[in-house]
Amino acid sequence: MISNQERVDSGHGYLPQTIPGRSPNQELLPLTAKVNSRDCLEIGGCDVTTLVERFGSPLYVLDEVTLRTACKQYREAFARYYPGVALPIYASKAWSCLAVCSIIASEGFGFDVVSGGELYTTLQAGVKGDLIYCHGNNKSAAELELAIAHGCKIIVDNWLELEMLTKLADELSSKPIPIMLRLTPGIECHTHEYIRTGHLDSKFGFDPDGIKEVFAFVLRQANLDCIGLHAHIGSQIFEEQPHEDLAGVMVEWMKQAVDCGLKMRELNLGGGLGIRYTEADDPPSIDEWVKTVSTATIEACNRLGMSLPKLIVEPGRSLIGSACVTAYTVGFRKVVPGIRTYISVDGGMSDNPRPITYQSVYGAAIANRMSAPMVERVTVAGKHCESGDIVIKNALLPETEQGDILVVMATGAYNYSMASNYNRISRPAAILVHEGEANLIIQRETYQDLIRQDCLPTRLTPKLC
Ligand SMILES: *Cc1c(COP(=O)(O)O)cnc(C)c1O
């Protein structure tokens, strides 16, 4: 990859450079990205500028090949490195909608959901309950009932939930309810570092110090079938050591559970593999990451004389993040002399809250002039009524003008799913592209959609002129 600086010096524009054998999570653009004869960005065989003309802007453009390739790489890596049964499950909070869920389901994945709404979406996409794992640190009785009714696996987070479940199990289920226990393993990850502590300040999961008591309680509940343990240590992780350590400690706790008499057979190590958002990011490939967790699990099992559990991982970002770009239309340009140049786009924090929430950094290109030299640093501003609504600070771009199509890369994860209607801005449409075909998978919200849930007491009914 050429660095930003080299791109300026060489005078070339942004040209996608997919290197064969790399994982989607190591690419900035979807795998099918090309520059066509009109010098425009093409994804999935579709010209992005034409898509904007047809479907409007802002627009999420999701590439089916990239998403399916990431799924396939997880599957193939487990076949290569893990001799036991393995099940990758999609952390659907990354982007939950019918089309995404049904594509990932067709790739043989299970699903992780964290709310009744995500569970409902996944079920509506045709996923069978026994492939769905339900998370959450404060599940409601209604959410638990829905999960039980569909035979989902429930990842129990705390004592209150255990007690609620034992009651519901008696009322609602003729067979024991399959549960896993979520632990707080004391491994904490930030993007480029991690710490191991005995205790972790986290709202999620049981404290491993009290785990014997939990095991003993669960063992006494004939209506619960405790099938395994779960932990998730963080997100956008580039190091492999934390997951290697995690596999080791989790197998040790599984051994304790088995010694207590529980018939545990599944080990869920969560998600967290990072993706490339800018050229400075260098995450491991899906293959390397799966090799690490598989090898560490096998080694720990051999060391402790345990048979290999069904190994589950929960990728979200690394499955879908790199498969999507967001296309915006460039508007006003404001030069603050000696300080900064702003260019405004027609979206921002309502379609991508990650920059304002996490100070996340993104890369961009101008889709209608891909080979134009990168000549200036500008700040790409959103259109919301917040000074902090900045999409990219100091983006390196060609000279831009009103009407240009600016594409922000790697927006598949935690963009649509975190989108809001702040400032009553409609959420964008999403398009699935594949071999030159473009299908609408999420409609753009209309003004009518924005007031659909509003109610007016009759005495306030406005006189419409
Ligand atoms: C968020 C989350 C994931 C997915 O994390 P990614 O970093 O997107 O892979 C998996 N499991 C749990 C429990 C999560 O909270």
Side-chain angles (χ1 to χ4, degrees), residues 277-278 317 352-363 390-393 415:
Y277 282 107
T278 69
R317 194 189 308 271
N352 183 1
R354 293 189 68 255
I356 200 167
T357 314
Y358 311 111
Q359 291 73 53
S360 312
V361 179
Y362 283 88
I390 299 296
V391 182
I392 306 171
K393 234 181 182 171
N415 271 235

Side-chain angles (χ1 to χ4, degrees), residues 2 6 53 201 224 232 250 263 287 291 308 310 324 341 362 384 421 437 443 448:
I2 49 176
E6 282 161 339
E53 279 165 26
D201 180 6
L224 299 182
H232 170 72
M250 293 297 281
K263 293 193 178 61
D287 185 88
K291 183 179 180 185
L308 289 184
K310 175 169 167 179
C324 182
T341 297
Y362 283 88
H384 301 78
N421 290 126
E437 206 182 291
Q443 291 183 16
Q448 290 88 332

Side-chain angles (χ1 to χ4, degrees), residues 91 93-94 112 114 135 182 204 230-232 234-236 270-273 314-318 413-414:
K93 71 177 185 203
D112 128 11
V114 297
H135 279 287
R182 177 168 187 163
F204 295 110
H230 167 274
H232 170 72
S235 204
Q236 185 61 359
L273 172 60
E314 302 175 320
R317 194 189 308 271
S318 57
Y414 309 110

